[in-house]
Amino acid sequence: MLETGDDVIGVGSSPPTAVGLGRGRLAAPARAIARMLAAQVEEIRNDTVLRLYGAGLALINVLTVLFWRATGEQTVMDRASEPICWPLLPSCGDWRVLTAGEVDRLLQGFVLGSLIVAALFLRRRYVPGAYLGLLALNVAKVAVLALDYRLRHNQHYMALWATAVFLFVPGKRDALRVLIVLFYAWAGSLKLNWEWISGAALYRPLWFFTGAGVVFACAYVVVMELVVSWGLLASRAWIFWAAFAQIVLFHVMSWAIVDFFYPLLMFLLISIYPLARLWPPGDSRGLLGPLFRGRLRPATYAPAALFSLLQLTPYAFPGDRTITGEGRLYALHMFDARIACEAYASVRGRDGTVRRVDLQLTYMPRINCDPIVIFNRARNLCLGRSHLASDVADLDLHLAARHTTDPILHDVIDVAGFCPRALRYDPFRHNDWIRSP
C-alpha cells in the first residue's frame, strides 16, 4: 500500500485520476478554512464578552442606516444619482439598478437583519447563525459602500476593521483592544500640525470652549490620542479608568463637531475595554507590557501591523496628501485639515458656447475638494451623466486648493481638453495629472 496525503493506493489498483488529485488539493484548503471558521465561532460562543461585543457590532449597522437617512446619503445609492466612483471601481454607475423606493426598502431590511443578528448573539446556541449573519451584513455593507465614493467615512473604515478582526482573528479580546488603541494613535499622528491645534480644521464650534480654550482642547486631543489612549491597555485600574474616562469625554465632546454617528459608533467599539476588564471578575490583565515585549500571540500583532502599514501609504506619494488625497484611500480619513478650493470646468458645448461649471460638492466638506470627486464630476460631464450641463463637446478641468490657514491657492489639476484624453485615476501610483503642492 502507498499513502499519498489523504489517499491510499493499493498495489495493482487503478491510479488516481487528475480530477481526483485536483479535488484532493482543493479539499484540503477548504477543510482548513472550515476548521478556522469553526474555531472563531467557538471562541465567540464560549465568551460572554465577545457575544455582547458581536451584538454591538451588528447594531453599528443600524447606526449606519440612521446616519445615511439623517445626512441624505442614501440618495446617492439609487440609479437617478450622479455616480462618483471609487478609483478601483470606475464603472460604479452601471451597478445602480435600484430606484429611491427600492433603496429605502433595502435599508429597512438591512436594519431588520442587523437587529436579528444582534439578538442572536445574545443566545449561546445561536452564535453560529449570528456569526454568519454578521459576515453577510458586512459583505452587503461593503457592496453598498462600493456604489459611490461619497459614502466614504472614517466610521465605516474603523467599523469594518474591528468587525474583520472579530470575525477572523483568534484571541479576539487582545487583538481588538490593541487595534482600537492604534485607531487613536494613528489619528493623533495626523493632527500634529498647527491647522488642527489652532482649531482651524474644525467645521463647527466646540461646546464650552472659545479662543485660547479651543487651542488647549485641540492640543489635548493630540496628547490623548498619542499618549493617553495607551492607558486602555494598562493593568493598573486607576490608569485604565482614567484613560477610559478621557476617551469617553472626548467622544461626547466630538458630538458638537461631527454629530451622532462617530461618538455612538466609537462607544460601541470601545465597549470591549470595560467588558474585557470586568468579565470575568478580577481579570485585570494588562496588555501594554506584553505587547511591547513581544509576548502576545502572533495573531494579535498581524492585524495591528497591517493596519499600521496602511497608515503609511500616503507618505509614499509626493506633495501634500491632505490636498492631493493620494494614498489616503487605504488609511484613516480624519479631518486633520480643512481644505478650501476652486474647482470648475470650462465646458464647450456642441453649439460652440463656453461656460464655467462649478464642480464642488458644497454639502460634503470632508471631500468637496477631493481630486477624486472633481475628476469624477468632470468625467460625468464628458459622458453625459451629469445634470450640470448637457451636449458637452469637451472641457478644461481646473482645481486649485489650499489649507484654510494658507492664503494662497495652489494648482492641483489643470488639464485642457479633458474629455478626449480619457484620463484615469490610478489608486496605486502618483497620477501625473495631479500636481503636488
Side-chain angles (χ1 to χ4, degrees), residues 60-77 86 103-104 106-108 110-111 114 137-153 155-156 160 259-261 363-364:
I60 284 175
N61 296 312
V62 177
L63 282 178
T64 299
V65 174
L66 292 175
F67 173 73
W68 284 337
R69 289 186 182 280
T71 58
E73 288 189 14
Q74 72 181 71
T75 61
V76 308
M77 304 174 190
W86 294 80
V103 168
D104 189 61
L106 174 68
L107 296 183
Q108 289 175 9
F110 193 61
V111 168
S114 300
L137 285 171
N138 280 275
V139 169
K141 182 177 180 178
V142 169
V144 170
L145 294 175
L147 290 175
D148 201 283
Y149 180 74
R150 286 167 292 187
L151 297 172
R152 178 192 188 188
H153 287 281
Q155 295 93 322
H156 305 315
L160 288 169
D259 216 340
F260 72 92
F261 186 35
Y363 59 93
M364 302 187 81

Side-chain angles (χ1 to χ4, degrees), residues 40-48 51 124-125 127-128:
Q40 308 311 309
V41 172
E42 198 61 21
E43 181 181 354
I44 297 168
R45 192 209 304 261
N46 293 330
D47 190 330
T48 302
R51 295 203 305 275
R124 191 172 182 274
R125 63 184 294 189
V127 166

Side-chain angles (χ1 to χ4, degrees), residues 3-52:
E3 296 187 3
T4 61
D6 295 330
D7 300 306
V8 179
I9 306 173
V11 176
S13 64
S14 300
T17 64
V19 172
L21 288 174
R23 287 174 178 170
R25 285 193 293 268
L26 291 173
R31 286 196 295 271
I33 292 171
R35 286 194 296 269
M36 184 273 288
L37 295 178
Q40 308 311 309
V41 172
E42 198 61 21
E43 181 181 354
I44 297 168
R45 192 209 304 261
N46 293 330
D47 190 330
T48 302
V49 166
L50 293 179
R51 295 203 305 275
L52 290 172

Side-chain angles (χ1 to χ4, degrees), residues 16 29 228 377:
V228 175
R377 302 205 83 189

Side-chain angles (χ1 to χ4, degrees), residues 22 121 168 295 333 353 426:
F121 268 116
F168 302 118
R295 294 180 180 175
H333 185 53
T353 58
D426 191 328

Side-chain angles (χ1 to χ4, degrees), residues 304-322:
L306 178 59
F307 176 81
S308 296
L309 181 63
L310 290 175
Q311 307 319 302
L312 297 174
T313 54
Y315 298 95
F317 290 80
D320 186 339
R321 64 190 181 279
T322 60

Side-chain angles (χ1 to χ4, degrees), residues 44 48-62 114-123 130 134 166 268 271:
I44 297 168
T48 302
V49 166
L50 293 179
R51 295 203 305 275
L52 290 172
Y53 197 71
L57 291 176
L59 292 177
I60 284 175
N61 296 312
V62 177
S114 300
L115 293 172
I116 291 172
V117 168
L120 291 177
F121 268 116
L122 301 180
R123 297 295 298 273
L134 184 63
F166 177 83
L268 290 172
S271 66

Side-chain angles (χ1 to χ4, degrees), residues 11-314:
V11 176
S13 64
S14 300
T17 64
V19 172
L21 288 174
R23 287 174 178 170
R25 285 193 293 268
L26 291 173
R31 286 196 295 271
I33 292 171
R35 286 194 296 269
M36 184 273 288
L37 295 178
Q40 308 311 309
V41 172
E42 198 61 21
E43 181 181 354
I44 297 168
R45 192 209 304 261
N46 293 330
D47 190 330
T48 302
V49 166
L50 293 179
R51 295 203 305 275
L52 290 172
Y53 197 71
L57 291 176
L59 292 177
I60 284 175
N61 296 312
V62 177
L63 282 178
T64 299
V65 174
L66 292 175
F67 173 73
W68 284 337
R69 289 186 182 280
T71 58
E73 288 189 14
Q74 72 181 71
T75 61
V76 308
M77 304 174 190
D78 66 65
R79 64 191 183 199
S81 174
E82 177 189 4
I84 306 295
C85 297
W86 294 80
L88 290 169
L89 306 166
S91 60
C92 70
D94 299 334
W95 307 347
R96 298 158 180 265
V97 296
L98 300 181
T99 65
E102 290 167 337
V103 168
D104 189 61
R105 288 190 288 276
L106 174 68
L107 296 183
Q108 289 175 9
F110 193 61
V111 168
L112 178 60
S114 300
L115 293 172
I116 291 172
V117 168
L120 291 177
F121 268 116
L122 301 180
R123 297 295 298 273
R124 191 172 182 274
R125 63 184 294 189
Y126 298 131
V127 166
Y131 181 93
L132 292 175
L134 184 63
L135 176 59
L137 285 171
N138 280 275
V139 169
K141 182 177 180 178
V142 169
V144 170
L145 294 175
L147 290 175
D148 201 283
Y149 180 74
R150 286 167 292 187
L151 297 172
R152 178 192 188 188
H153 287 281
N154 220 35
Q155 295 93 322
H156 305 315
Y157 182 81
M158 292 186 291
L160 288 169
W161 260 102
T163 302
V165 168
F166 177 83
L167 290 173
F168 302 118
V169 176
K172 304 178 189 305
R173 285 191 180 211
D174 292 356
L176 284 164
R177 285 185 286 171
V178 171
L179 175 70
I180 294 170
V181 164
L182 289 174
F183 289 170
Y184 291 108
W186 282 107
S189 73
L190 295 175
K191 298 182 177 73
L192 292 170
N193 59 76
W194 176 245
E195 188 165 7
W196 167 265
I197 294 172
S198 69
L202 302 178
Y203 300 132
R204 301 175 187 170
L206 280 171
W207 290 332
F208 313 122
F209 290 92
T210 58
V214 173
V215 175
F216 172 80
C218 291
Y220 160 77
V221 168
V222 176
V223 174
M224 185 215 69
E225 291 186 321
L226 288 176
V227 180
V228 175
S229 62
W230 294 97
L232 295 172
L233 304 179
S235 58
R236 295 188 180 184
W238 72 270
I239 297 177
F240 170 81
W241 289 111
F244 187 73
Q246 291 178 73
I247 296 288
V248 170
L249 178 61
F250 162 67
H251 289 303
V252 170
M253 294 296 294
S254 74
W255 198 305
I257 307 299
V258 294
D259 216 340
F260 72 92
F261 186 35
Y262 174 64
L264 293 184
L265 178 143
M266 291 308 300
F267 289 150
L268 290 172
L269 291 185
I270 66 175
S271 66
I272 189 66
Y273 295 104
L275 286 173
R277 192 171 188 93
L278 296 174
W279 192 276
D283 183 7
S284 59
R285 180 177 65 92
L287 299 180
L288 198 56
L291 173 67
F292 288 105
R293 295 189 193 105
R295 294 180 180 175
L296 300 179
R297 63 169 67 191
T300 300
Y301 291 102
L306 178 59
F307 176 81
S308 296
L309 181 63
L310 290 175
Q311 307 319 302
L312 297 174
T313 54

